């Protein structure tokens, strides 16, 4: 074969199934610059020559989007039960989602599918999963998102640090995320982040697409493999830490640092501008340091995750000129922040952290054993989530065994780096889930390498791949939507909380059963808060036996000020789904409050009621 024919042959391989490989059976990326960086034909040219598979995928996508948008008109939020939004979505929604999975599989099986087609499918998947709740619900979902809105509001009102913070004190020590949002509000003239916080999950997942693509395209130029990994990531990311929160912000930043490092490693298959002997271009390294500083100032856990990732990436000698400078920057910035701004929190919790080091098995088990009192539906959902997580790691391990070329990439350390932290700290029972979240980007690529090997035709195996992708996505939706009955709030619930936080005398005590009420922390400096499920075991037993008698210690905290009890629909759902109080407790409490002459309803709607406590000795005192 002549040199010209050989070059043409390589061009066809690049155009159709990804980069040429010296060993077709190994699935490895190209090992020579000529193979790795052969210029693909323009996307417009590929579309003109597209086969029936590509055209089918291009037709299925708008049909799926149309059906999804039509289905949103028939969502019945009042139909939500133990499985949340899953029970409220109409059949048309599931047809649209099934069509989307089918269309993506057709696109992946075709040889000439363009990047733009894959990108549209992934963006549609993000929209269907994450834009559906804000499009059908009236208010910001999830009580912790409301709390973070309250922190931003407090920092704006007090021009920086939150005074008399109480439970907010930790946010004074890691204020980066909140100060960033305060800066946005000052720059835009908005009064509150409530408007855009509703769309935080959509935005966080769209932005995450950037670092994912940088990581994956640093390992291979195969379009199908890159976008297959992206699709699998979004189909398996069930942990739900992408709402309006510091952890979502810093997770995205952490992924950006890892992407920049992986892009610069010697194993990268893409051209790397910079020093001839390797290392960092000056501007790019400055960007890494700036991002690391933002991470160190915004969250307690994420800097440690980043340090662990960079440490493992620096173990191979060939990576050290890139990984060690980034690692040193992360260590110095995190240590400096924890020794100065966050010193008070670190000192107060140092003993518990050291104690956790000696109980690695308890740290892992703490996140897996809290099912005893939950509703049967939530036990089932929890096992589905665990099955999805276990399946992800099992498929990733199988890929490492059967796709030998993946062992020459940074994927293995990027899957393993969260494990040390999962062993040394429980992080309130959430560490095992956070470890899964940080390991997922690399695990998703490994799964894609297993299911969609480079240089092989897929039509014969696509039915199996389609079933696996559908199973992943279905499992994700169980984890994501099953608690929607307690995570979503109606306008009436928001009005009740706004009343009790703004229209009641300063110094009052606001009592709720759980935290599932929108904005209880707003104007935190006006009131004291009491949450029944956060009381001690003895107090909860007394409340379960006699709700009014059990309330007395909480009411006494108000002194000569009034006390208010707020009950709302989401709290009913929270108690039922999580089982932190006995069955029927909420109904008994509301019945006893309604019958007692000491409690007066001062705000009532279909979804919420607020009772004011007026002791007999005070009569009708206002």
């Amino acid at each position: 074969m002549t040199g010209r024919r050989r070059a043409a042959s390589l061009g066809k391989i690049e155009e159709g199934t990804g980069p040429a490989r010296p060993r077709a059976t190994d699935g490895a990326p190209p090992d020579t610059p000529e193979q790795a960086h052969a210029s693909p034909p323009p996307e417009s040219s590929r579309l003109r020559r597209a086969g029936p598979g590509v055209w089918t995928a291009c037709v299925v996508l708008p049909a799926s989007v149309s059906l999804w948008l039509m289905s949103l008109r028939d969502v019945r939020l009042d139909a939500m039960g133990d499985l949340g939004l899953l029970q409220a979505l109409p059949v048309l929604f599931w047809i649209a989602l099934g069509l989307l999975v089918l269309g993506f599989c057709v696109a992946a099986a075709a040889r000439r599918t363009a990047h733009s087609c894959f990108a549209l499918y992934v963006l549609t998947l993000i929209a269907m999963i994450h834009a559906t709740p804000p499009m059908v619900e009236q208010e910001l979902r999830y009580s912790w998102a409301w709390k973070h809105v309250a922190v931003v509001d407090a920092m704006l009102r007090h021009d920086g640090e939150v005074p008399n913070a109480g439970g907010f004190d930790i946010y004074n020590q890691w204020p980066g995320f909140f100060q960033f949002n305060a800066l946005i509000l000052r720059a835009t003239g908005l009064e509150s982040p409530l408007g855009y916080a509703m769309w935080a999950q959509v935005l966080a997942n769209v932005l995450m697409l950037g670092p994912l693509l940088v990581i994956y395209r640093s390992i291979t130029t195969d379009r199908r493999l890159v976008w297959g990994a992206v699709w699998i990531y979004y189909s398996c990311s069930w942990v739900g830490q992408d709402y309006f929160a510091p952890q979502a912000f810093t997770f995205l930043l952490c992924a950006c640092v890892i992407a920049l490092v992986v892009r610069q490693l010697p194993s990268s298959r893409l051209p790397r501008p910079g020093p001839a002997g390797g290392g960092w271009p000056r501007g790019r390294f400055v960007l890494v340091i700036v991002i690391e500083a933002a991470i160190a100032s915004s969250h307690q856990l994420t800097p440690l995750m980043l340090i662990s990732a960079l440490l493992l990436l620096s173990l191979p000698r060939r990576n050290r000129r890139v990984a060690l400078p980034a690692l040193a920057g992360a260590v110095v910035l995190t240590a400096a922040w924890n020794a100065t701004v966050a010193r008070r929190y670190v000192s107060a919790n140092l003993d518990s952290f050291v104690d956790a080091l000696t109980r690695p098995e308890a740290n892992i088990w703490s996140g897996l054993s809290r099912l005893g009192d939950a509703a049967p539906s939530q036990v089932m959902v929890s096992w589905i989530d665990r099955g999805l997580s276990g399946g992800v790691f099992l498929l990733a391990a199988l890929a490492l065994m059967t796709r030998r070329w993946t062992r020459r990439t940074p994927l293995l350390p990027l899957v393993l780096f969260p494990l040390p932290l999962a062993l040394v700290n429980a992080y309130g029972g959430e560490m095992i889930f956070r470890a899964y979240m940080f390991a997922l980007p690399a695990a998703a690529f490994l799964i894609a390498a297993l299911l969609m090997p480079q240089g092989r035709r897929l039509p014969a195996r696509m039915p199996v791949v389609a079933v696996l992708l559908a199973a992943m996505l279905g499992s994700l939706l169980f984890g994501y939507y099953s608690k929607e009955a307690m995570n979503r709030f109606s306008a009436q619930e928001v009005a009740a909380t706004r009343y009790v936080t703004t229209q009641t005398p300063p110094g009052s005590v606001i009592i709720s059963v759980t935290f599932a009420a929108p904005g209880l922390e707003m104007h935190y400096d006006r009131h004291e808060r009491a949450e029944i499920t956060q009381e001690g075991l003895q107090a909860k037993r007394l409340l379960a036996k006699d709700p009014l008698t059990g309330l007395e210690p909480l009411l006494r905290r108000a002194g000569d000020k009034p006390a208010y009890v707020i009950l709302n629909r989401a709290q009913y759902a929270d108690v039922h789904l999580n089982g932190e109080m006995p069955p029927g407790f909420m109904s008994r409490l509301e019945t006893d409050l309604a019958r007692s002459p000491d409690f007066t309803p001062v705000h009532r709607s279909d979804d919420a009621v607020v009772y004011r406590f007026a002791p007999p000795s005070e009569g009708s005192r206002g």
Side-chain angles (χ1 to χ4, degrees), residues 57 103-111 113 118 224 228 452 458 462 465 469:
F104 180 82
C105 291
V106 171
R111 297 182 60 222
T113 304
F118 281 123
R224 181 173 63 195
M452 305 175 184
L458 289 189
M462 283 317 292
V465 173
L469 295 184

Side-chain angles (χ1 to χ4, degrees), residues 86-145:
L86 294 172
Q87 296 164 287
L89 295 170
V91 174
L92 205 58
F93 175 89
W94 303 107
I95 294 175
L97 198 61
L99 268 180
L100 190 72
V101 174
L102 179 62
F104 180 82
C105 291
V106 171
R111 297 182 60 222
R112 293 191 174 97
T113 304
H115 283 293
S116 57
C117 182
F118 281 123
L120 289 173
Y121 265 95
V122 168
L123 290 173
T124 302
L125 177 67
I126 293 172
M128 284 192 180
I129 295 172
H130 302 288
T132 294
M135 290 178 73
V136 300
E137 298 176 11
Q138 298 172 299
E139 305 289 346
L140 176 65
R141 63 199 289 264
Y142 199 45
S143 54
W144 279 92

Side-chain angles (χ1 to χ4, degrees), residues 500-512:
V500 81
T501 56
T502 63
Q503 303 300 315
T504 54
S508 306
V509 172
I510 300 174
I511 301 171
S512 64

Side-chain angles (χ1 to χ4, degrees), residues 177 200 204 241-253 299 437:
F177 169 76
Q241 293 297 315
D242 47 7
Y243 62 98
F244 185 72
Q247 56 264 37
F249 177 68
T250 53
F251 176 66
L252 174 62
L253 295 181
H299 200 232
M437 179 176 75

